Amino acid sequence: MADVNVSALPVSPKTGGKSDDSQGNEGIPAVELIELLFFAYRDFVGDADEHLAQLGFGRAHHRVVHFVSRHPGMRVADLLAVLKITKQSLGRVLRELVDHGYVLQRAGDSDRRERLLYVTAKGEELSRQLVSLQTRRFARAFNECGPGARLEARKFLASMIDPESREEVERLIAGADTKK
Amino acid sequence: MADVNVSALPVSPKTGGKSDDSQGNEGIPAVELIELLFFAYRDFVGDADEHLAQLGFGRAHHRVVHFVSRHPGMRVADLLAVLKITKQSLGRVLRELVDHGYVLQRAGDSDRRERLLYVTAKGEELSRQLVSLQTRRFARAFNECGPGARLEARKFLASMIDPESREEVERLIAGADTKK
DNA sequence: CGTTTACGTCAGCCATATTGACTTATTTTC
DNA sequence: GAAAATAAGTCAATATGGCTGACGTAAACG
């Protein structure tokens, strides 16, 4: 049933020439990269999606557990800033994670209005498993690509990020505290 | 600061020892790549999101217009296979695009049950604009990365795709220009 | 013929996001 | 010390984009 006849797709009549400015693109049209990134990302998140679905969680839970695990003690406001979602959206997801014992919250020391976020051992284990799945995909990819590919990919991915947010992201992935 | 002593506080993956950076990963932990891919993809789709929002469309519309533009005359079943969604999900999005004059459907020549999909001039223009936005992001990135990066990125992205689907994806992205 | 295929549609459900308004603590400021 | 600002949580309504199941219709197939 699933064998859809993709090869039945007809020729594109629209090309009056292969358009995509053939200077300096190494013979690789951007539209190819656009589509490859789409499919690559879809499979990349698919790894985690399967695992999460078995726990009744979704991608939103993944992102929360991941960042809290990486940055123990971050504030709710910090998390909102990283995820760029509203606190109402975060609310349900966070409550579910707390209720099921993956995340815990503690009042801040210096400012007791703050609810600092930590993963429990259970949350840390979940995060570790998800990282492991995706790490395997990267490892396989770089194994196919040959030496230097990992470094190249890192540069490429960083360059794809908005210049304005790049510094913040680099700080974040370096594991720096998201605080003050 | 964040160094509260909470007994259940998990050790940060960074401080706990960078587990995987001793063997063959070029000093780049996979967790960095995971996060970079997350942020890169978010900004990448953000380009199009803004543009689409002004038309009252979302990502679902983008994907449909994009693939139909790239593969004029594709069948609904082909599109469903590419997007891996159900026909019910596609239904609303496709109807909106047809109603607003971005996509049109024609009965197949040899098989009149088929509704072959085409973009209108309006749809083609929208697709072109969205590709252009994302092309600019790639161009900027590769400009920063130096020569060879485009080819490396292409290899990397292809390698990140599930091996089972890779052949199909390669056919798809080459599709409209090389087929038949 | 009868069956299968391609597509569409109705109805309902779920996950994730949004905005706006409001409450509760707590800290900061005047 | 009262007022204002801040951190977080919550209620309610809404949108988007997925899903399943059931059913219908037209056309092709055998």
Side-chain angles (χ1 to χ4, degrees):
Chain A
M1 151 93 220
D3 60 324
V4 191
N5 198 357
V6 175
S7 58
L9 299 180
V11 181
S12 165
K14 70 172 182 235
T15 55
K18 307 191 134 188
S19 58
D20 200 321
D21 1 344
S22 339
Q23 70 273 45
N25 70 359
E26 301 171 29
I28 302 171
V31 70
E32 280 195 26
L33 295 165
I34 289 170
E35 294 179 359
L36 283 171
L37 180 49
F38 170 73
F39 289 113
Y41 190 79
R42 186 222 259 160
D43 288 349
F44 167 72
V45 294
D47 287 340
D49 283 349
E50 279 180 52
H51 193 99
L52 289 158
Q54 295 175 342
L55 300 172
F57 290 150
R59 288 185 195 176
H61 304 85
H62 183 183
R63 296 196 285 269
V64 169
V65 167
H66 180 92
F67 284 109
V68 172
S69 164
R70 283 270 285 162
H71 307 279
M74 76 190 306
R75 298 175 306 158
V76 169
D78 294 329
L79 188 52
L80 291 176
V82 170
L83 301 179
K84 285 191 181 136
I85 58 173
T86 60
K87 64 179 169 179
Q88 293 91 332
S89 297
L90 179 60
R92 177 186 49 87
V93 171
L94 197 49
R95 192 186 330 113
E96 286 169 359
L97 287 170
V98 169
D99 287 351
H100 289 83
Y102 291 84
V103 169
L104 58 87
Q105 293 170 291
R106 250 175 224 235
D109 246 14
S110 54
D111 186 339
R112 297 205 317 278
R113 288 173 306 181
E114 297 174 345
R115 304 295 162 83
L116 306 186
L117 302 171
Y118 303 89
V119 283
T120 61
K122 195 175 168 189
E124 181 62 24
E125 172 60 12
L126 173 58
S127 175
R128 201 198 55 72
Q129 286 173 341
L130 294 171
V131 164
S132 168
L133 275 178
Q134 299 185 319
T135 296
R136 244 171 276 161
R137 180 174 297 269
F138 275 110
R140 195 207 56 208
F142 293 126
N143 190 48
E144 291 174 12
C145 286
R150 189 177 283 258
L151 186 56
E152 285 296 309
R154 199 211 183 282
K155 271 164 52 185
F156 160 63
L157 291 174
S159 298
M160 286 291 287
I161 296 171
D162 282 346
E164 310 90 80
S165 18
R166 215 171 292 167
E167 201 185 316
E168 186 190 335
V169 169
E170 283 287 359
R171 233 185 302 121
L172 197 68
I173 71 176
D177 280 333
T178 41
K179 282 209 68 158
K180 318 165 172 180
Chain B
M1 275 287 292
D3 296 0
V4 201
N5 48 350
V6 176
S7 52
L9 196 159
V11 176
S12 162
K14 302 297 283 187
T15 58
K18 309 181 159 189
S19 50
D20 73 338
D21 70 354
S22 28
Q23 63 275 59
N25 70 0
E26 301 170 30
I28 302 172
V31 70
E32 282 194 24
L33 295 165
I34 289 170
E35 294 180 359
L36 283 171
L37 180 50
F38 171 73
F39 289 112
Y41 190 78
R42 186 224 256 162
D43 288 350
F44 167 72
V45 294
D47 287 342
D49 283 349
E50 280 181 51
H51 193 98
L52 290 158
Q54 295 174 341
L55 300 173
F57 290 152
R59 287 184 196 177
H61 304 85
H62 184 182
R63 296 197 283 270
V64 170
V65 168
H66 179 93
F67 284 110
V68 172
S69 164
R70 282 270 286 163
H71 307 280
M74 77 192 303
R75 297 175 306 156
V76 169
D78 294 328
L79 187 52
L80 291 175
V82 169
L83 300 178
K84 284 189 183 139
I85 59 174
T86 61
K87 63 181 170 177
Q88 295 93 329
S89 298
L90 179 60
R92 179 182 47 86
V93 171
L94 196 50
R95 194 185 328 113
E96 285 169 0
L97 287 171
V98 170
D99 287 350
H100 289 83
Y102 290 86
V103 169
L104 57 85
Q105 295 171 289
R106 271 210 296 263
D109 253 10
S110 54
D111 186 338
R112 296 206 318 280
R113 289 172 307 179
E114 298 175 345
R115 305 292 162 85
L116 307 186
L117 302 171
Y118 301 89
V119 284
T120 62
K122 196 175 167 189
E124 181 61 26
E125 172 60 15
L126 172 58
S127 175
R128 201 198 54 74
Q129 287 173 342
L130 294 170
V131 165
S132 169
L133 275 178
Q134 298 185 320
T135 296
R136 243 171 277 161
R137 179 174 297 270
F138 274 110
R140 194 209 56 209
F142 293 127
N143 190 49
E144 290 174 12
C145 287
R150 188 177 284 258
L151 185 57
E152 284 297 310
R154 199 211 183 284
K155 272 164 51 187
F156 161 63
L157 290 174
S159 298
M160 285 291 287
I161 296 171
D162 281 347
E164 311 90 79
S165 19
R166 213 171 293 167
E167 200 185 317
E168 185 187 338
V169 169
E170 284 285 359
R171 234 184 301 123
L172 194 69
I173 70 176
D177 291 327
T178 63
K179 236 16 243 295
K180 180 158 109 185

